[in-house]
Amino acid sequence: MHSSHLLLEEPIRMASILEPSKSSFFPALTKIVGTLGPKSRSVETLSGCLKSGMSVARFDFSSGDAEYHQETLDNLKIAVKSTKKLCAVMLDTVGPELQVINKSEKAITLKADGLVTLTPNQDREASSEVLPINFNGLAKAVKKGDTIFVGQYLFTGSETTSVWLEVDEVKGDDVICLSRNAATLAGSMFTLHASQVHIDMPTLTEKDKEVISTWGVQNKIDFLSLSYCRHAEDVRQTREMLKKLGDLSQTQIFAKIENVEGLTHFDEILQEADGIILSRGNLGIDLPPEKVFLFQKAALYKCNMAGKPAVLTRVVDSMTDNLRPTRAEATDVANAVLDGSDAILLGAETLRGLYPVETISTVGRICAEAEKVFNQDLYFKKTVKYVGEPMSHLESIASSAVRAAIKVKASVIICFTSSGRAARLIAKYRPTMPVISVVIPRVKTNQLKWSFSGAFEARQSLIVRGLFPMLADPRHPAESTSATNESVLKVALDHGKQAGVIKSHDRVVVCQKVGDASVVKIIELED
């Protein structure tokens, strides 16, 4: 294979493999999203998660009510204050999720090659012969031979907690299935996934809308993860709803691609959404196993070229119960970084896993090692070629800043921004050094009171690879003179020195606006 096609920088010294990994203030450029739940909601554990590298906290409303999640978020705020580590908040909608209802909560054992009936009649008790579900249109949606998966934690690959069903017969509203494997389903609710079948339910359910307009508004959520996003229209409708909710007009929408329908409309969805979450758990069963990696590479490439954050799920499932990932999982995390992922999303591993802090730490270390061998040179050329000419003014400045930083071996890039767009464009070119994004607050008024914007923009860069936000003093507004810019720059440099990423005699690339012009300058630090 010709060396220019290699993903890795060459040559990799074998001796470097034996060198211990060095810890730093920024554990990795790749971000980590942690799902908070029973095993990760105490102040102590949350402080550990933040110190280990979690920069976005995901609240999954598939389980737990608003009060439960509020307690967790209040604890997170205490942990953020004590650790001085910023953390963004992501609300994950339930969406059109099909569920099996087990009111008695007794464990249900299904035998291989046994028959089981899925029925919309929720008055019936769940047993090894009958599974009541929360949707009355399943019989109209499926046909003989279709595949349905049912599991408490869909689908860890462990076939003792999830069952693979094949539709044998449709009888009225009931669907009679053949069980392909033996499994024991425990708990009050299990998820049901009909593979490659269109489910006629709204993407944003009434329950989702209620949660967003109450809990979401109250907590000014930074990101909304739109589960089971299938069309660009889903994103447009959700954005219309957020615009009517005051502060949430700034909330970014991340479309979660979970099935073939979302995959078919991927390009239009990417155009409308602020970012993409590749939900490999559900997608992994909607697609044949041999196609999953192809989708991952193609989708990540498209997100990278569009300059929109891409988040990958389901990487270290085995760490839910174990202190070390499997070899395949460790390689998978590294490949996600090499493929261009902005962030890794941990689900069950932090939600109910035994080792939430250790999992974040392990994933962070693997990401950091992969970043060292990421072929930035090839990636940069590919991105510039894709963008084409003439470049937009901002794109040209961003790519020039990254090129200059690499040529002079700068230790960091410092970018002054008010909307966050300039910093995101710099990150799009994947510089090998951290980008300190100095968010300059803007003064705004609703004619009753004055307020400063900037906190949203700062937190929203916490999901972008390589971006590390810092909120400037509001007394230095965005429309400032060069004198105030210099004082903000000094604060940013001091922040970098404290973080240990800037030392004496280092070179730093600064990207800022002076009047109407955008300027990229290189400064060398003195003692």
Side-chain angles (χ1 to χ4, degrees):
M1 192 186 222
H2 193 262
S3 64
S4 70
H5 294 295
L6 284 175
L7 276 169
L8 304 179
E9 292 281 14
E10 284 289 330
I12 298 168
R13 292 185 306 112
M14 292 310 269
S16 71
I17 296 165
L18 303 176
E19 288 168 9
S21 306
K22 294 182 184 75
S23 61
S24 66
F25 180 80
F26 302 129
L29 299 178
T30 307
K31 303 303 175 66
I32 297 173
V33 181
T35 305
L36 305 187
K39 290 283 193 277
S40 51
R41 61 194 303 257
S42 70
V43 174
E44 188 186 354
T45 305
L46 289 168
S47 299
C49 290
L50 292 169
K51 285 177 189 167
S52 297
M54 177 181 84
S55 62
V56 181
R58 171 176 169 257
F59 293 82
D60 185 358
F61 275 78
S62 297
S63 59
D65 56 15
E67 199 179 321
Y68 177 85
H69 289 302
Q70 191 60 52
E71 277 176 29
T72 309
L73 181 52
D74 291 343
N75 286 347
L76 176 66
K77 287 175 181 170
I78 297 166
V80 165
K81 273 188 180 162
S82 68
T83 58
K84 295 186 172 59
K85 300 271 187 187
L86 270 182
C87 188
V89 172
M90 177 184 278
L91 188 160
D92 200 313
T93 62
V94 179
E97 188 171 81
L98 304 187
Q99 292 168 335
V100 172
I101 313 296
N102 180 19
K103 288 176 183 166
S104 70
E105 296 195 21
K106 289 176 187 162
I108 298 166
T109 303
L110 299 173
K111 291 191 171 72
D113 301 323
L115 288 174
V116 61
T117 301
L118 303 175
T119 177
N121 181 355
Q122 293 184 31
D123 294 331
R124 296 184 67 177
E125 194 168 317
S127 68
S128 50
E129 285 84 39
V130 178
L131 296 176
I133 61 171
N134 67 342
F135 178 55
N136 55 15
L138 188 66
K140 293 187 186 80
V142 297
K143 61 185 185 305
K144 185 178 170 69
D146 279 349
T147 301
I148 295 174
F149 289 89
V150 177
Q152 188 182 4
Y153 310 113
L154 222 53
F155 302 93
T156 56
S158 158
E159 288 310 324
T160 55
T161 59
S162 56
V163 65
W164 174 3
L165 305 173
E166 193 177 292
V167 176
D168 187 57
E169 187 188 348
V170 175
K171 198 183 263 186
D173 286 342
D174 294 351
V175 178
I176 300 161
C177 301
L178 183 72
S179 175
R180 297 286 300 270
N181 66 293
T184 300
L185 306 174
S188 60
M189 204 179 286
F190 324 116
T191 310
L192 182 147
H193 183 94
S195 185
Q196 299 204 19
V197 169
H198 171 75
I199 299 301
D200 193 15
M201 284 168 78
T203 301
L204 213 54
T205 64
E206 289 309 312
K207 186 193 169 193
D208 290 329
K209 288 177 185 173
E210 189 194 332
V211 166
I212 294 164
S213 55
T214 53
W215 195 90
V217 170
Q218 184 188 332
N219 295 298
K220 296 183 182 175
I221 54 166
D222 303 296
F223 303 110
L224 180 73
S225 162
L226 189 59
S227 295
Y228 295 96
C229 184
R230 295 166 286 183
H231 300 269
E233 191 54 37
D234 295 339
V235 183
R236 283 193 284 270
Q237 285 176 2
T238 305
R239 204 175 299 282
E240 281 306 310
M241 181 198 160
L242 292 181
K243 275 180 187 166
K244 294 172 189 160
L245 295 173
D247 280 330
L248 295 200
S249 59
Q250 286 181 277
T251 297
Q252 289 190 347
I253 300 170
F254 274 59
K256 211 167 169 193
I257 308 296
E258 310 205 41
N259 53 26
V260 166
E261 210 175 336
L263 179 59
T264 311
H265 304 108
F266 185 84
D267 291 353
E268 305 96 272
I269 292 170
L270 176 60
Q271 226 169 348
E272 289 293 329
D274 297 299
I276 296 282
I277 297 173
L278 306 181
S279 180
R280 300 192 309 172
N282 286 344
L283 254 177
I285 49 176
D286 239 28
L287 290 173
E290 67 273 18
K291 298 285 187 186
V292 176
F293 85 98
L294 273 177
F295 163 68
Q296 176 175 315
K297 288 181 186 297
L300 289 176
Y301 172 76
K302 287 183 175 193
C303 292
N304 291 167
M305 294 304 111
K308 293 190 177 182
V311 183
L312 213 64
T313 71
R314 303 304 289 268
V315 286
V316 284
D317 284 338
S318 72
M319 285 195 79
T320 307
D321 303 307
N322 300 299
L323 203 43
R324 274 177 75 109
T326 65
R327 293 173 298 284
E329 287 171 340
T331 307
D332 188 28
V333 174
N335 278 329
V337 173
L338 298 176
D339 285 349
S341 204
D342 281 83
I344 301 290
L345 190 152
L346 300 173
E349 302 99 324
T350 51
L351 172 88
R352 59 182 176 87
L354 303 178
Y355 309 103
V357 177
E358 291 84 352
T359 302
I360 292 166
S361 180
T362 301
V363 169
R365 285 200 307 275
I366 298 169
C367 289
E369 287 296 323
E371 287 156 9
K372 288 179 192 172
V373 294
F374 179 74
N375 193 337
Q376 200 280 337
D377 187 45
L378 178 66
Y379 178 87
F380 187 91
K381 285 173 184 163
K382 216 164 49 173
T383 312
V384 169
K385 187 179 174 187
Y386 180 88
V387 171
E389 291 175 357
M391 272 186 175
S392 71
H393 177 82
L394 210 50
E395 190 105 34
S396 163
I397 291 289
S399 58
S400 302
V402 174
R403 189 191 289 271
I406 286 164
K407 293 290 182 198
V408 303
K409 291 191 162 43
S411 51
V412 293
I413 298 172
I414 294 175
C415 174
F416 289 76
T417 179
S418 50
S419 67
R421 188 160 165 254
R424 280 197 301 276
L425 267 179
I426 290 174
K428 171 183 173 177
Y429 286 89
R430 294 284 187 259
T432 48
M433 65 291 295
V435 180
I436 296 178
S437 150
V438 183
V439 180
I440 309 285
R442 278 196 169 145
V443 182
K444 56 179 185 175
T445 177
N446 61 2
Q447 293 170 343
L448 289 173
K449 62 176 183 179
W450 292 91
S451 64
F452 292 101
S453 72
F456 258 111
E457 290 83 353
R459 288 192 304 267
Q460 282 168 344
S461 59
L462 289 166
I463 205 163
V464 181
R465 178 148 144 193
L467 273 195
F468 298 91
M470 185 192 123
L471 197 54
D473 188 320
R475 285 168 298 188
H476 299 145
E479 295 76 22
S480 62
T481 62
S482 59
T484 56
N485 265 342
E486 287 306 315
S487 60
V488 176
L489 176 58
K490 187 182 180 309
V491 173
L493 290 170
D494 289 344
H495 175 70
K497 284 174 186 169
Q498 281 171 347
V501 290
I502 304 175
K503 305 182 295 298
S504 300
H505 305 295
D506 274 2
R507 286 171 182 172
V508 172
V509 168
V510 181
C511 191
Q512 67 189 113
K513 258 197 155 166
V514 176
D516 291 336
S518 297
V519 175
V520 174
K521 63 181 182 183
I522 300 161
I523 55 177
E524 193 159 331
L525 301 183
E526 295 163 359
D527 284 334

